[in-house]
Amino acid sequence: MSLQELKEQAFKLSVSDRLSLISDLIQSLQTSSYVENWQYLVTRPHPWRRQLYIKGRKLFASTIW
């Protein structure tokens, strides 16, 4: 099912059903643990900075972007 088809089905729902669906999606995204398999990027532990780095370099990915 494509994203466009999902969007069309969501518009057919009532407003309360849409809000319920959105809150369920947000909750599932927050509780799910996922593994990021980046080819050129790596995360590094830091108390407050949550940015990606270029693998093997002390360079933020946002600097390149």
Side-chain angles (χ1 to χ4, degrees):
M1 181 174 285
S2 72
L3 186 59
Q4 183 64 30
E5 292 170 343
L6 286 172
K7 184 179 173 182
E8 290 170 1
Q9 286 184 1
F11 279 120
K12 293 177 185 176
L13 296 173
S14 67
V15 174
S16 63
D17 288 340
R18 282 189 225 167
L19 291 174
S20 175
L21 178 63
I22 290 170
S23 72
D24 290 343
L25 285 171
I26 290 171
Q27 185 177 7
S28 71
L29 288 172
Q30 289 175 342
T31 58
S32 68
S33 62
Y34 58 93
V35 177
E36 296 176 354
N37 293 324
W38 298 97
Q39 185 175 358
Y40 300 107
L41 303 176
V42 65
T43 58
R44 293 190 182 157
H46 194 274
W48 53 269
R49 184 180 291 154
R50 297 179 65 190
Q51 294 187 5
L52 295 172
Y53 290 82
I54 305 297
K55 279 187 181 177
R57 306 275 187 247
K58 293 181 181 178
L59 183 64
F60 292 125
S62 61
T63 304
I64 302 297
W65 176 249

Coordinates of all heavy atoms in Angstrom, one line a residue:
M1 N 0.8 -1.2 0.0 CA 0.0 0.0 0.0 C 0.9 1.2 0.0 O 1.8 1.3 0.8 CB -0.9 0.0 1.2 CG -1.8 1.1 1.3 SD -3.0 1.0 2.6 CE -4.1 -0.2 2.0
S2 N 0.6 2.2 -0.9 CA 1.4 3.4 -1.0 C 1.0 4.4 0.0 O 0.0 4.3 0.7 CB 1.3 3.9 -2.4 OG 0.0 4.5 -2.5
L3 N 1.9 5.4 0.2 CA 1.6 6.4 1.2 C 0.4 7.2 0.7 O -0.4 7.6 1.6 CB 2.9 7.3 1.3 CG 2.8 8.4 2.3 CD1 2.6 7.8 3.7 CD2 4.1 9.2 2.3
Q4 N 0.3 7.4 -0.6 CA -0.9 8.1 -1.1 C -2.2 7.4 -0.7 O -3.2 8.0 -0.3 CB -0.8 8.3 -2.6 CG -1.9 9.1 -3.2 CD -2.0 10.6 -2.7 OE1 -0.9 11.2 -2.4 NE2 -3.1 11.1 -2.7
E5 N -2.2 6.1 -0.9 CA -3.4 5.3 -0.5 C -3.7 5.4 1.0 O -4.9 5.5 1.3 CB -3.2 3.9 -1.0 CG -3.2 3.7 -2.5 CD -2.7 2.3 -2.9 OE1 -2.2 1.5 -2.0 OE2 -3.0 1.9 -4.0
L6 N -2.7 5.3 1.8 CA -2.9 5.5 3.2 C -3.5 6.9 3.6 O -4.3 7.0 4.4 CB -1.6 5.3 4.0 CG -1.1 3.8 4.0 CD1 0.3 3.8 4.6 CD2 -2.0 3.0 4.9
K7 N -2.9 7.9 2.9 CA -3.4 9.2 3.1 C -4.9 9.3 2.8 O -5.7 9.9 3.5 CB -2.6 10.2 2.3 CG -2.9 11.6 2.5 CD -2.0 12.5 1.7 CE -2.4 14.0 1.7 NZ -1.5 14.8 0.8
E8 N -5.3 8.8 1.6 CA -6.7 8.8 1.2 C -7.6 8.1 2.2 O -8.7 8.6 2.5 CB -6.8 8.2 -0.2 CG -6.2 9.1 -1.3 CD -6.1 8.4 -2.6 OE1 -6.6 7.2 -2.7 OE2 -5.6 9.0 -3.6
Q9 N -7.1 7.0 2.7 CA -7.9 6.2 3.7 C -8.1 7.0 5.0 O -9.1 7.0 5.6 CB -7.3 4.8 3.9 CG -7.6 3.9 2.8 CD -7.0 2.5 3.1 OE1 -6.5 2.2 4.2 NE2 -7.2 1.6 2.2
A10 N -7.0 7.7 5.4 CA -7.0 8.5 6.6 C -8.0 9.6 6.5 O -8.7 9.9 7.5 CB -5.6 9.0 6.9
F11 N -8.1 10.2 5.3 CA -9.1 11.3 5.2 C -10.5 10.8 5.2 O -11.4 11.6 5.5 CB -8.9 12.1 3.9 CG -7.7 13.1 3.9 CD1 -6.6 12.9 3.1 CD2 -7.8 14.1 4.8 CE1 -5.6 13.8 3.2 CE2 -6.8 15.0 4.9 CZ -5.7 14.9 4.1
K12 N -10.8 9.5 5.0 CA -12.1 9.0 5.1 C -12.5 8.8 6.6 O -13.7 8.6 6.9 CB -12.2 7.7 4.4 CG -12.0 7.8 2.9 CD -12.1 6.5 2.2 CE -11.8 6.7 0.7 NZ -11.7 5.4 0.0
L13 N -11.6 8.8 7.5 CA -11.9 8.6 8.9 C -12.5 9.9 9.6 O -12.2 11.0 9.1 CB -10.6 8.2 9.7 CG -9.9 6.9 9.3 CD1 -8.6 6.8 10.1 CD2 -10.8 5.7 9.7
S14 N -13.2 9.7 10.7 CA -13.7 10.9 11.4 C -12.5 11.6 12.1 O -11.4 11.0 12.2 CB -14.7 10.4 12.4 OG -14.1 9.7 13.4
V15 N -12.7 12.8 12.5 CA -11.6 13.5 13.1 C -11.1 12.9 14.4 O -9.9 12.8 14.7 CB -12.1 15.0 13.4 CG1 -11.1 15.8 14.2 CG2 -12.5 15.7 12.2
S16 N -12.1 12.3 15.2 CA -11.6 11.7 16.5 C -10.8 10.4 16.2 O -9.9 10.1 16.9 CB -12.8 11.4 17.3 OG -13.7 10.5 16.7
D17 N -11.2 9.7 15.1 CA -10.5 8.5 14.7 C -9.1 8.9 14.2 O -8.1 8.2 14.5 CB -11.2 7.7 13.7 CG -12.4 7.0 14.2 OD1 -12.5 6.8 15.5 OD2 -13.3 6.6 13.4
R18 N -9.0 10.0 13.5 CA -7.7 10.4 13.0 C -6.8 10.8 14.2 O -5.6 10.4 14.2 CB -7.8 11.7 12.1 CG -8.3 11.3 10.7 CD -8.2 12.6 9.9 NE -9.4 12.7 9.1 CZ -9.8 13.8 8.4 NH1 -9.0 14.8 8.4 NH2 -10.9 13.8 7.7
L19 N -7.3 11.5 15.1 CA -6.5 11.9 16.3 C -6.1 10.7 17.1 O -4.9 10.6 17.6 CB -7.3 12.9 17.2 CG -7.6 14.3 16.6 CD1 -8.5 15.1 17.5 CD2 -6.3 15.0 16.4
S20 N -6.9 9.7 17.2 CA -6.6 8.5 17.9 C -5.5 7.8 17.2 O -4.5 7.3 17.8 CB -7.8 7.6 18.0 OG -7.5 6.4 18.6
L21 N -5.6 7.7 15.9 CA -4.6 7.0 15.0 C -3.2 7.7 15.2 O -2.2 7.1 15.3 CB -5.0 7.0 13.6 CG -4.1 6.4 12.6 CD1 -3.8 4.9 12.9 CD2 -4.6 6.5 11.2
I22 N -3.2 9.1 15.1 CA -2.0 9.8 15.2 C -1.4 9.6 16.6 O -0.1 9.4 16.7 CB -2.3 11.3 15.0 CG1 -2.6 11.5 13.5 CG2 -1.1 12.2 15.4 CD1 -3.1 12.9 13.2
S23 N -2.2 9.6 17.7 CA -1.6 9.4 19.0 C -1.0 8.0 19.2 O 0.0 7.8 19.8 CB -2.6 9.7 20.1 OG -3.6 8.7 20.2
D24 N -1.7 7.0 18.6 CA -1.2 5.7 18.6 C 0.1 5.5 17.8 O 1.1 4.9 18.3 CB -2.2 4.7 18.0 CG -3.4 4.5 18.9 OD1 -3.3 4.9 20.1 OD2 -4.4 4.0 18.4
L25 N 0.2 6.2 16.7 CA 1.5 6.2 15.9 C 2.6 6.8 16.7 O 3.7 6.3 16.7 CB 1.3 6.9 14.6 CG 0.5 6.1 13.5 CD1 0.1 7.0 12.3 CD2 1.2 4.9 13.1
I26 N 2.4 8.0 17.3 CA 3.4 8.7 18.0 C 3.9 7.8 19.2 O 5.1 7.7 19.4 CB 2.9 10.0 18.5 CG1 2.7 11.0 17.3 CG2 3.8 10.7 19.5 CD1 2.0 12.3 17.6
Q27 N 2.9 7.2 19.9 CA 3.3 6.4 21.0 C 4.1 5.2 20.6 O 5.1 4.8 21.2 CB 2.1 5.9 21.8 CG 2.4 5.2 23.0 CD 1.1 4.8 23.8 OE1 0.0 5.0 23.3 NE2 1.3 4.2 25.0
S28 N 3.8 4.6 19.5 CA 4.5 3.4 19.0 C 5.9 3.8 18.5 O 6.9 3.0 18.7 CB 3.8 2.7 17.9 OG 3.7 3.4 16.7
L29 N 6.1 5.0 18.0 CA 7.4 5.4 17.5 C 8.3 5.8 18.7 O 9.5 5.5 18.7 CB 7.2 6.7 16.6 CG 6.7 6.4 15.2 CD1 6.4 7.7 14.5 CD2 7.6 5.5 14.4
Q30 N 7.7 6.3 19.8 CA 8.5 6.7 20.9 C 8.9 5.4 21.7 O 10.0 5.4 22.3 CB 7.7 7.6 21.9 CG 7.5 9.0 21.3 CD 6.6 9.8 22.2 OE1 5.8 9.3 23.0 NE2 6.6 11.1 22.0
T31 N 8.1 4.4 21.7 CA 8.5 3.2 22.5 C 9.3 2.2 21.8 O 9.9 1.3 22.4 CB 7.2 2.5 23.1 OG1 6.3 2.2 22.0 CG2 6.4 3.5 24.0
S32 N 9.3 2.3 20.4 CA 10.0 1.3 19.7 C 11.5 1.6 19.7 O 11.9 2.7 19.6 CB 9.5 1.2 18.2 OG 9.8 2.4 17.6
S33 N 12.2 0.5 19.8 CA 13.7 0.7 19.7 C 14.1 0.2 18.4 O 13.7 -0.9 17.9 CB 14.4 -0.1 20.8 OG 14.1 -1.5 20.7
Y34 N 14.8 1.0 17.6 CA 15.2 0.6 16.3 C 16.7 0.7 16.2 O 17.3 1.5 16.9 CB 14.5 1.5 15.3 CG 14.7 3.0 15.4 CD1 15.7 3.6 14.7 CD2 13.9 3.7 16.3 CE1 16.0 4.9 14.9 CE2 14.2 5.1 16.4 CZ 15.2 5.7 15.7 OH 15.4 7.0 15.9
V35 N 17.2 0.0 15.3 CA 18.7 0.0 15.0 C 18.9 0.8 13.7 O 18.3 0.5 12.7 CB 19.2 -1.5 14.9 CG1 20.6 -1.5 14.5 CG2 18.9 -2.3 16.1
E36 N 19.8 1.7 13.9 CA 20.1 2.5 12.7 C 21.4 1.9 12.1 O 22.4 1.9 12.7 CB 20.4 4.0 13.1 CG 19.2 4.7 13.6 CD 19.5 6.1 14.1 OE1 20.7 6.5 14.1 OE2 18.5 6.8 14.5
N37 N 21.3 1.5 10.9 CA 22.4 1.0 10.1 C 22.8 2.0 9.0 O 22.4 1.8 7.9 CB 22.1 -0.4 9.5 CG 21.8 -1.4 10.6 OD1 22.5 -1.4 11.6 ND2 20.9 -2.3 10.3
W38 N 23.6 3.0 9.4 CA 24.0 4.0 8.5 C 25.3 3.5 7.9 O 26.2 2.9 8.5 CB 24.3 5.3 9.2 CG 23.1 5.9 9.9 CD1 22.7 5.7 11.1 CD2 22.0 6.6 9.2 NE1 21.5 6.4 11.4 CE2 21.1 6.9 10.2 CE3 21.8 7.1 7.9 CZ2 20.0 7.7 9.9 CZ3 20.7 7.8 7.6 CH2 19.8 8.1 8.6
Q39 N 25.5 3.8 6.6 CA 26.7 3.4 5.9 C 27.9 4.3 6.3 O 29.0 3.9 6.5 CB 26.5 3.4 4.4 CG 27.7 2.8 3.7 CD 27.4 2.7 2.2 OE1 26.2 3.0 1.7 NE2 28.3 2.3 1.4
Y40 N 27.6 5.6 6.3 CA 28.7 6.6 6.5 C 28.6 7.4 7.8 O 29.4 8.3 8.1 CB 28.8 7.6 5.3 CG 29.0 6.9 4.0 CD1 28.0 6.8 3.1 CD2 30.3 6.4 3.7 CE1 28.3 6.1 1.8 CE2 30.5 5.7 2.5 CZ 29.5 5.6 1.6 OH 29.7 5.0 0.4
L41 N 27.5 7.2 8.5 CA 27.2 8.0 9.7 C 27.3 7.1 11.0 O 27.1 5.9 10.9 CB 25.8 8.6 9.6 CG 25.6 9.5 8.4 CD1 24.2 10.0 8.4 CD2 26.6 10.7 8.4
V42 N 27.6 7.7 12.1 CA 27.6 7.0 13.4 C 27.1 8.0 14.5 O 27.2 9.2 14.4 CB 29.1 6.6 13.7 CG1 30.0 7.7 13.9 CG2 29.1 5.7 14.9
T43 N 26.4 7.4 15.5 CA 26.0 8.2 16.6 C 27.1 8.1 17.7 O 27.8 7.1 17.8 CB 24.7 7.7 17.2 OG1 24.8 6.4 17.6 CG2 23.6 7.9 16.2
R44 N 27.2 9.1 18.5 CA 28.2 9.1 19.6 C 27.5 9.5 20.9 O 26.6 10.4 20.9 CB 29.4 10.0 19.4 CG 30.2 9.6 18.2 CD 31.5 10.4 18.1 NE 32.2 10.0 17.0 CZ 33.1 10.8 16.4 NH1 33.3 12.0 16.8 NH2 33.8 10.3 15.3
P45 N 27.8 8.8 22.0 CA 27.1 9.2 23.2 C 27.5 10.5 23.7 O 28.7 10.9 23.7 CB 27.5 8.1 24.2 CG 28.8 7.5 23.6 CD 28.7 7.7 22.1
H46 N 26.6 11.3 24.1 CA 26.8 12.7 24.6 C 25.6 13.0 25.5 O 24.5 12.7 25.1 CB 26.9 13.7 23.4 CG 27.5 15.0 23.8 ND1 26.7 16.0 24.3 CD2 28.7 15.5 23.9 CE1 27.5 17.0 24.6 NE2 28.7 16.7 24.4
P47 N 25.8 13.7 26.6 CA 24.7 14.0 27.5 C 23.5 14.8 26.9 O 22.4 14.5 27.2 CB 25.4 14.8 28.6 CG 26.8 14.8 28.4 CD 27.1 14.3 27.0
W48 N 23.8 15.8 26.0 CA 22.7 16.6 25.5 C 22.8 16.7 23.9 O 21.8 17.1 23.3 CB 22.7 17.9 26.1 CG 24.0 18.7 26.0 CD1 25.0 18.7 27.0 CD2 24.4 19.5 25.0 NE1 26.0 19.4 26.5 CE2 25.7 20.0 25.3 CE3 23.9 20.0 23.8 CZ2 26.4 20.9 24.5 CZ3 24.6 20.8 23.0 CH2 25.9 21.3 23.4
R49 N 23.9 16.4 23.3 CA 24.0 16.5 21.9 C 23.7 15.2 21.2 O 24.3 14.2 21.5 CB 25.4 17.0 21.5 CG 25.6 17.2 20.0 CD 27.0 17.6 19.7 NE 27.2 18.9 20.2 CZ 28.5 19.4 20.5 NH1 29.5 18.6 20.4 NH2 28.6 20.6 21.0
R50 N 22.6 15.2 20.4 CA 22.2 14.0 19.7 C 22.4 14.2 18.2 O 21.4 14.5 17.5 CB 20.8 13.7 20.1 CG 20.6 13.3 21.5 CD 19.2 13.0 21.9 NE 18.8 11.8 21.2 CZ 17.6 11.3 21.2 NH1 16.7 12.0 21.7 NH2 17.3 10.2 20.6
Q51 N 23.6 14.2 17.7 CA 23.8 14.5 16.3 C 24.6 13.3 15.7 O 25.3 12.5 16.4 CB 24.7 15.7 16.1 CG 23.9 17.0 16.5 CD 24.7 18.2 16.1 OE1 25.7 18.2 15.5 NE2 24.2 19.4 16.5
L52 N 24.5 13.2 14.4 CA 25.3 12.1 13.7 C 26.6 12.7 13.3 O 26.8 13.9 13.0 CB 24.5 11.7 12.5 CG 23.2 11.0 12.7 CD1 22.4 10.8 11.4 CD2 23.4 9.7 13.4
Y53 N 27.6 11.8 13.3 CA 28.9 12.1 12.9 C 29.3 11.3 11.6 O 28.8 10.2 11.4 CB 30.0 11.8 14.0 CG 29.9 12.6 15.2 CD1 28.9 12.4 16.2 CD2 30.7 13.7 15.4 CE1 28.9 13.2 17.3 CE2 30.7 14.5 16.5 CZ 29.7 14.2 17.5 OH 29.7 15.0 18.6
I54 N 30.3 11.8 10.9 CA 30.8 11.0 9.8 C 31.7 9.9 10.4 O 32.5 10.2 11.3 CB 31.7 11.9 8.8 CG1 30.8 13.1 8.3 CG2 32.3 11.1 7.7 CD1 29.7 12.7 7.5
K55 N 31.6 8.7 9.9 CA 32.4 7.6 10.5 C 33.9 7.9 10.3 O 34.3 8.2 9.2 CB 32.0 6.3 9.8 CG 30.8 5.6 10.3 CD 30.5 4.3 9.7 CE 29.3 3.6 10.2 NZ 29.0 2.3 9.6
G56 N 34.6 7.7 11.4 CA 36.1 7.8 11.3 C 36.6 9.2 11.3 O 37.8 9.4 11.2
R57 N 35.7 10.2 11.5 CA 36.1 11.6 11.5 C 35.4 12.3 12.7 O 34.4 11.9 13.3 CB 35.6 12.3 10.3 CG 36.0 11.7 9.0 CD 37.4 12.2 8.6 NE 37.8 11.7 7.3 CZ 38.7 10.8 7.1 NH1 39.4 10.3 8.1 NH2 39.0 10.4 5.8
K58 N 36.0 13.4 13.1 CA 35.4 14.2 14.2 C 34.7 15.4 13.5 O 35.0 16.5 13.6 CB 36.5 14.8 15.1 CG 37.2 13.7 16.0 CD 38.2 14.4 16.9 CE 38.9 13.3 17.7 NZ 39.9 13.8 18.6
L59 N 33.7 15.0 12.7 CA 33.0 15.9 11.9 C 31.5 15.6 11.9 O 31.0 14.5 11.7 CB 33.5 15.8 10.4 CG 32.9 16.7 9.4 CD1 33.3 18.2 9.7 CD2 33.4 16.3 8.0
F60 N 30.7 16.7 12.2 CA 29.3 16.5 12.3 C 28.7 16.3 10.9 O 29.2 16.9 9.9 CB 28.6 17.8 12.8 CG 28.8 18.0 14.3 CD1 29.3 19.2 14.7 CD2 28.5 17.1 15.2 CE1 29.5 19.5 16.0 CE2 28.7 17.3 16.6 CZ 29.2 18.5 17.0
A61 N 27.7 15.5 10.7 CA 27.1 15.3 9.4 C 26.4 16.5 9.0 O 26.3 16.8 7.8 CB 26.1 14.1 9.5
S62 N 25.9 17.3 10.0 CA 25.2 18.6 9.6 C 26.1 19.6 9.0 O 25.7 20.4 8.2 CB 24.5 19.2 10.9 OG 25.5 19.5 11.8
T63 N 27.4 19.5 9.3 CA 28.4 20.4 8.7 C 28.5 20.1 7.2 O 28.5 21.1 6.4 CB 29.8 20.2 9.3 OG1 29.7 20.4 10.7 CG2 30.8 21.2 8.7
I64 N 28.5 18.9 6.8 CA 28.5 18.5 5.4 C 27.2 18.9 4.7 O 27.2 19.4 3.6 CB 28.8 17.0 5.2 CG1 30.1 16.6 5.9 CG2 28.8 16.6 3.8 CD1 31.3 17.2 5.4
W65 N 26.1 18.6 5.4 CA 24.8 18.9 4.8 C 24.6 20.3 4.5 O 24.2 20.8 3.5 CB 23.7 18.4 5.8 CG 22.3 18.7 5.3 CD1 21.5 19.6 5.9 CD2 21.6 18.2 4.2 NE1 20.3 19.6 5.2 CE2 20.4 18.7 4.1 CE3 22.0 17.2 3.2 CZ2 19.4 18.4 3.2 CZ3 21.0 16.9 2.3 CH2 19.8 17.5 2.2

